[in-house]
Amino acid sequence: MEEEAQSPQQSEPPLPENHEQLQPSPSTETHTPQEEEEQDDTPPPPAGDASPPPRKRRRRKKQFPEMVPSAAAVDGLRALRHHHHHHPKSNSVYDDKVMDEILQFQINQSAASSSSSKNHHRRRSKFSDLAREVDVEALIAISVGFPVDSLTEEEIESNVVAVIGGADQANYIVVRNHILARWRSNVSVWLTREHALESIRPEHSALVGSAYNFLLEHGYINFGLAPAIKEACFARAAVDGAEKANVIIVGAGLAGLTAARQLISLGFKVVILEGRNRPGGRVRTKKMSGGDGVVVAAADLGGSVLTGINGNPLGVLARQLGFPLHKVRDICPLYLPNGKAVDPEMDSRVENSFNKLLDKVCKIRQAMLDEVKTADMSLGSAYETFRRVFKVAVESQERMLLNWHLANLEYANASLLSDLSMSFWDQDDPYEMGGDHCFIPGGNGRFIWALAENLPIFYDRNVETIQYGMDGVMVYAGGQVYRGDMVLCTVPLGVLKRGSIRFVPELPTPKQEAIQRLGFGLLNKVAMLFPYDFWGGSIDTFGHLTEDSSMRGEFFLFYSYSSVSGGPLLVALVAGESAIKFEKMSPIEAVERVLDVLRGIFAPKGIRVPAPLQVVCTRWGKDKFTYGSYSYVAVGASGDDYDILADSVGDGRVFFAGEATNRRYPATMHGAFLSGLREAANISRAASRRSSIHYENFGNAKDYNNFKDINTDGGEYDDLKELFEAPNLSFGSFSILFDPGSVDDDSVCLARVRFGGEKLSNGSLYLYGLILRRQVMQLNEIDGDANRVQAFSRDFGVKLVGRNGLGAIGESLIASLKATRINHNVRSTGALDRMLETSFTNFAK
């Protein structure tokens, strides 16, 4: 997990001149709620390369989920257009150029996907086995988070296929994966629907449209900051004539910035309210300098590591912006309190024991959950019990090593093991993104400033109240009131737990309980800029052991940023119980203690540790805009609580985003980013539902006038009016348009029902529905329009809606119809029309 900790900045007075260990006197800073912010835009030198050693320290054990190839997906390859020449390395049948792009993408991804610990070697082996069974595009879809052979909940809600299961779904999955892989092969260009159609059989054009619309609206393709992408998003928003809702976003962190960009591209009006005087939230890059400005470096004081580059949207942003990625190199030497290096054999033995104990805990918890569904206890208690039973790490040095690994685990979760749920602490493991852990040279603040560019952000707006109701929302901040249709709250879980924002009415009880159940932990850092790199540039991390188990998390791990920050920068981590104590420690004491640790490591080697030029100490727990670092599953909580926290309230008026709302990727920067895209799609869907006409009881004439001001002849839906001037079939008040790309009985058709006459005082009302071709035949055999309308919902399960309620597959069908009418001049007497006329002679009027 990334350290997703945030803190504003305020300079502490320099340490006294007579402070012996800190000569010359460094500038020492502590992060507290008020700060003066500067933009860090000094590019660092390129990252260096190094040969990977055998192992890398991981913050916690991960398992790759077992996956099996999908027979349905393999059958679904028939959706792809056949070519005479097949690529020799693929089971698929694509254009050679398309296949080359896909293979190049997979090569690039694989080149970045070396694992570290023995657990990760096993996971990589499983992934290699999987790669031999499932085609390249499916692997790319899996890396992004799609299931192997089924639809996501979001796809089902978006009605991407008319019938769940069967050939259409299998074909859709293959088409979706193809579109996704094609864009991922070149993320710097806008993938159009026409480009997506090039390698797909014509009869599946509706599926292409459905998959394309879903991927586009949910931010799986065509997102980011490449010039072509930004230009296309601007043009897309400009040509969308429909008036969209006004959305207020609370918080300018990764989730808020990402959601804002996506909503603007969808045509929404957006404003962001940010309590700080800078964007980024818990992603904070501080420019450090010393020696009269001769030595400079960029320090990530919050989120700093891209944890797994395969499928990571921040990796996409890096490619678009031309940011190099620096792999966190695979060696992490550990040092005893006396400065001696830990014996490699003992190190390996204790690490193996550490992992075996975790395995035993996982097995016993499964047995407990099988017996009692609600059973839970702390991971720390369970682990310590097993350690004693199996007599692991009883010798002093072994115990120090084991404590180091436990501190590493507390770092991964920003939590004391005594607070961490044994049952669900690793519930997100199956979704972990593969590939290397990477730094961004110059810091992740580069992402933030690029995302925030030209967005309407109001800084120093500390939100106090969010009021919501049927008429919209009002947000109170800094003595001002902001009115909108919807609000997206992206504040950290720590702020919600403190009750810093008042919701009127109160949030539903299940959400309040989930907020209290989930944990929000703490990780702190000491960033030190030195006059030179005394620790050596061949490593990115090294660790320090301590004899005091209660202090195992104090400066237990050091990150070297010399190769990526632009200067000799060293960052010490403070995790677990030590992170809490650290917030009460003075900056002078903190710096003195960390320098003592460094001297203990390097002095025995004859290496002098110089006084730092500048030091920054974070205090995330005291920051009123976060009250901690990132979320974890506390005892009594579960992954379900992330979902509950993500749920909207107020009938689609108040939405929530941020890492603590992402069940799959909590406590990560990419989790926050993806939650912003997710909520932009949810807001768009809610706005569409609100503007749609849902009419359940169409046999009741007295209710028809409720719709008369929405859509009458000559109204806003002229595009459909033109299409229905020449329907393929009509009977009574019903008009039908067939899918121009298919004559299959299960192909989707667009039906229009006209209501008028005495029932409406102003013209006619048109409602629409999606219906299968075979159902059209059955409908035509029913006598009377009233009976036909009842059959829509009673027999076919179809709801008549307004123009905007047709969903992704409806919009795709309409687009295909328009394209066909343009190409064939609407009244074409070509093969398709003759075929339709022949097939439906018995039904045509």
Side-chain angles (χ1 to χ4, degrees):
M1 297 182 180
E2 288 120 8
E3 327 110 332
E4 198 151 338
Q6 77 184 19
S7 168
Q9 184 99 350
Q10 180 179 3
S11 297
E12 291 279 345
L15 294 179
E17 292 290 333
N18 60 357
H19 197 277
E20 183 179 355
Q21 283 81 5
L22 300 181
Q23 294 292 338
S25 73
S27 169
T28 304
E29 299 184 13
T30 302
H31 276 258
T32 51
Q34 290 76 35
E35 63 183 275
E36 291 297 327
E37 190 69 39
E38 69 282 330
Q39 180 171 348
D40 304 329
D41 54 6
T42 305
D49 294 324
S51 299
R55 303 186 289 170
K56 183 197 298 184
R57 306 283 178 184
R58 282 295 195 221
R59 279 169 283 178
R60 67 172 174 172
K61 179 185 175 195
K62 291 286 187 177
Q63 300 283 351
F64 195 76
E66 298 285 355
M67 287 184 264
V68 295
S70 165
V74 175
D75 292 340
L77 289 173
R78 65 173 184 247
L80 301 169
R81 188 191 301 274
H82 285 278
H83 297 279
H84 296 297
H85 303 290
H86 292 200
H87 199 286
K89 295 183 180 180
S90 173
N91 295 326
S92 303
V93 281
Y94 311 113
D95 288 332
D96 288 341
K97 181 179 179 182
V98 173
M99 194 65 227
D100 288 342
E101 290 176 347
I102 296 169
L103 286 176
Q104 184 59 51
F105 171 79
Q106 182 65 12
I107 290 170
N108 293 340
Q109 294 289 65
S110 296
S113 64
S114 66
S115 296
S116 59
S117 66
K118 294 177 182 177
N119 297 307
H120 281 70
H121 284 307
R122 289 199 300 269
R123 186 181 68 184
R124 182 174 58 182
S125 173
K126 291 181 183 180
F127 195 85
S128 298
D129 293 339
L130 183 64
R132 289 192 289 269
E133 299 175 4
V134 185
D135 75 315
V136 174
E137 294 184 348
L139 287 173
I140 295 173
I142 290 169
S143 74
V144 173
F146 283 103
V148 177
D149 57 0
S150 60
L151 302 178
T152 64
E153 291 182 8
E154 291 79 8
E155 287 176 306
I156 295 173
E157 291 175 2
S158 299
N159 298 319
V160 294
V161 292
V163 179
I164 302 299
D168 265 0
Q169 177 174 310
N171 286 330
Y172 166 85
I173 290 172
V174 172
V175 168
R176 176 201 68 198
N177 295 351
H178 175 71
I179 296 172
L180 180 63
R182 181 152 191 180
W183 184 71
R184 284 271 175 157
S185 70
N186 187 357
V187 295
S188 294
V189 299
W190 182 275
L191 179 69
T192 65
R193 190 192 311 265
E194 290 71 25
H195 290 151
L197 278 165
E198 289 176 356
S199 299
I200 307 296
R201 291 182 174 183
E203 60 263 33
H204 297 292
S205 59
L207 288 178
V208 172
S210 181
Y212 180 86
N213 287 341
F214 175 83
L215 293 173
L216 181 64
E217 292 172 6
H218 287 74
Y220 287 102
I221 62 172
N222 295 340
F223 69 85
L225 298 167
I229 299 294
K230 292 196 291 186
E231 182 179 347
C233 285
F234 177 80
R236 179 186 176 203
V239 300
D240 189 350
E243 183 177 347
K244 295 290 182 71
N246 301 317
V247 181
I248 302 169
I249 297 178
V250 180
L254 267 174
L257 296 175
T258 304
R261 283 199 166 273
Q262 185 73 355
L263 286 169
I264 289 172
S265 74
L266 294 173
F268 287 83
K269 297 176 182 178
V270 172
V271 64
I272 304 176
L273 305 180
E274 169 57 48
R276 307 177 190 273
N277 60 1
R278 62 167 178 86
R282 285 170 281 172
V283 178
R284 163 81 165 106
T285 302
K286 165 71 177 173
K287 182 178 179 181
M288 300 179 66
S289 63
D292 296 327
V294 176
V295 183
V296 296
D300 274 324
L301 303 178
S304 60
V305 184
L306 272 64
T307 51
I309 201 62
N310 292 351
N312 195 318
L314 297 180
V316 171
L317 261 61
R319 292 167 64 190
Q320 293 174 333
L321 295 169
F323 294 170
L325 297 174
H326 174 77
K327 171 189 171 183
V328 180
R329 286 170 284 191
D330 294 350
I331 186 170
C332 179
L334 299 181
Y335 297 98
L336 295 167
N338 61 10
K340 292 183 179 180
V342 172
D343 176 65
E345 183 180 349
M346 179 182 292
D347 184 9
S348 179
R349 185 173 68 252
V350 172
E351 184 177 13
N352 187 47
S353 297
F354 167 76
N355 287 326
K356 284 184 176 180
L357 282 180
L358 274 183
D359 286 338
K360 293 181 184 297
V361 171
C362 291
K363 289 178 181 178
I364 192 65
R365 76 173 177 190
Q366 188 58 52
M368 288 175 58
L369 289 172
D370 290 342
E371 291 292 329
V372 184
K373 298 297 183 183
T374 59
D376 199 6
M377 63 185 298
S378 77
L379 179 64
S381 297
Y383 194 94
E384 179 60 18
T385 299
F386 276 95
R387 188 194 69 79
R388 291 175 178 173
V389 169
F390 291 96
K391 296 180 172 57
V392 173
V394 294
E395 191 268 333
S396 174
Q397 205 172 113
E398 290 181 341
R399 187 63 189 275
M400 283 191 289
L401 263 172
L402 183 64
N403 277 329
W404 188 91
H405 286 289
L406 295 176
N408 208 20
L409 197 58
E410 291 178 326
Y411 158 42
N413 295 277
S415 167
L416 280 68
L417 295 187
S418 58
D419 294 333
L420 203 58
S421 166
M422 181 196 71
S423 299
F424 302 108
W425 70 276
D426 57 349
Q427 60 85 34
D428 58 310
D429 276 11
Y431 312 107
E432 183 190 48
M433 290 186 173
D436 292 317
H437 289 205
C438 297
F439 292 137
I440 294 295
N444 294 311
R446 300 174 72 190
F447 285 138
I448 297 301
W449 291 108
L451 286 167
E453 183 181 12
N454 296 326
L455 289 182
I457 305 175
F458 291 89
Y459 295 108
D460 299 312
R461 299 297 197 276
N462 191 10
V463 172
E464 299 121 11
T465 302
I466 295 176
Q467 186 173 343
Y468 58 98
M470 294 298 295
D471 296 331
V473 299
M474 291 190 295
V475 179
Y476 297 80
Q480 294 180 294
V481 180
Y482 299 84
R483 298 176 183 269
D485 297 301
M486 289 174 278
V487 61
L488 173 61
C489 181
T490 71
V491 300
L493 174 61
V495 174
L496 295 176
K497 292 176 82 71
R498 284 291 186 104
S500 301
I501 297 177
R502 187 169 67 103
F503 290 86
V504 181
E506 289 186 350
L507 294 176
T509 299
K511 186 178 287 287
Q512 292 188 50
E513 292 174 346
I515 289 171
Q516 295 308 314
R517 279 193 300 267
L518 281 173
F520 197 67
L522 188 60
L523 174 75
N524 278 310
K525 298 183 179 183
V526 180
M528 298 165 286
L529 180 66
F530 289 94
Y532 56 88
D533 180 349
F534 63 88
W535 56 91
S538 61
I539 57 174
D540 288 325
T541 58
F542 60 91
H544 164 255
L545 277 59
T546 181
E547 295 176 346
D548 185 353
S549 61
S550 67
M551 300 300 292
R552 65 192 179 198
E554 184 177 276
F555 317 131
F556 80 102
L557 184 63
F558 290 82
Y559 273 111
S560 168
Y561 285 85
S562 296
S563 57
V564 295
S565 67
L569 181 71
L570 199 60
V571 175
L573 302 187
V574 190
E577 184 179 353
S578 297
I580 300 172
K581 295 177 179 178
F582 181 80
E583 302 230 332
K584 302 174 183 178
M585 192 183 301
S586 73
I588 295 176
E589 182 185 357
V591 174
E592 185 174 357
R593 290 172 73 101
V594 72
L595 288 177
D596 282 344
V597 170
L598 291 172
R599 292 189 190 100
I601 294 173
F602 292 99
K605 302 176 177 61
I607 299 174
R608 176 181 173 271
V609 177
L613 301 174
Q614 186 183 9
V615 179
V616 178
C617 300
T618 66
R619 297 284 191 267
W620 289 110
K622 293 183 177 180
D623 179 359
K624 70 176 182 180
F625 296 113
T626 178
Y627 293 116
S629 300
Y630 40 93
S631 64
Y632 66 90
V633 184
V635 176
S638 71
D640 293 340
D641 291 318
Y642 287 109
D643 290 336
I644 295 172
L645 192 55
D647 288 341
S648 64
V649 301
D651 192 24
R653 293 294 182 183
V654 184
F655 297 80
F656 295 84
E659 57 86 10
T661 71
N662 196 323
R663 181 176 190 160
R664 291 189 171 192
Y665 311 108
T668 64
M669 291 186 291
H670 58 267
F673 186 97
L674 290 170
S675 75
L677 292 177
R678 178 200 70 212
E679 290 312 302
N682 288 338
I683 288 171
S684 179
R685 191 158 55 243
S688 296
R689 283 197 301 265
R690 190 167 287 117
S691 62
S692 299
I693 307 165
H694 296 282
Y695 189 61
E696 300 287 353
N697 185 12
F698 293 100
N700 193 345
K702 68 178 182 178
D703 289 333
Y704 290 166
N705 280 317
N706 293 338
F707 301 97
K708 66 181 181 180
D709 295 326
I710 305 299
N711 182 23
T712 57
D713 273 338
E716 58 184 298
Y717 306 138
D718 288 337
D719 58 340
L720 291 191
K721 180 180 178 183
E722 293 178 3
L723 289 176
F724 278 102
E725 285 179 353
N728 299 113
L729 185 64
S730 61
F731 42 86
S733 297
F734 286 72
S735 300
I736 309 295
L737 294 173
F738 299 129
D739 181 352
S742 175
V743 294
D744 190 82
D745 283 347
D746 286 330
S747 62
V748 179
C749 307
L750 179 61
R752 184 186 72 174
V753 184
R754 177 177 59 84
F755 299 96
E758 297 178 356
K759 297 172 184 174
L760 288 176
S761 60
N762 183 19
S764 298
L765 165 70
Y766 295 110
L767 297 178
Y768 307 90
L770 299 178
I771 186 173
L772 301 181
R773 185 183 290 242
R774 56 180 169 79
Q775 292 173 336
V776 171
M777 300 177 186
Q778 299 171 24
L779 198 65
N780 188 54
E781 295 176 350
I782 298 175
D783 293 330
D785 285 342
N787 293 329
R788 293 180 183 125
V789 169
Q790 290 180 6
F792 251 74
S793 58
R794 182 190 62 202
D795 300 333
F796 304 148
V798 177
K799 182 181 293 185
L800 290 173
V801 297
R803 168 66 175 83
N804 292 330
L806 289 170
I809 198 165
E811 295 301 326
S812 172
L813 178 59
I814 292 170
S816 297
L817 287 164
K818 289 180 180 178
T820 302
R821 294 298 171 91
I822 292 174
N823 293 335
H824 299 284
N825 198 23
V826 180
R827 298 264 184 196
S828 169
T829 57
L832 179 61
D833 290 307
R834 290 195 297 272
M835 178 173 59
L836 293 175
E837 290 171 4
T838 302
S839 300
F840 290 90
T841 300
N842 295 332
F843 302 98
K845 293 281 182 110

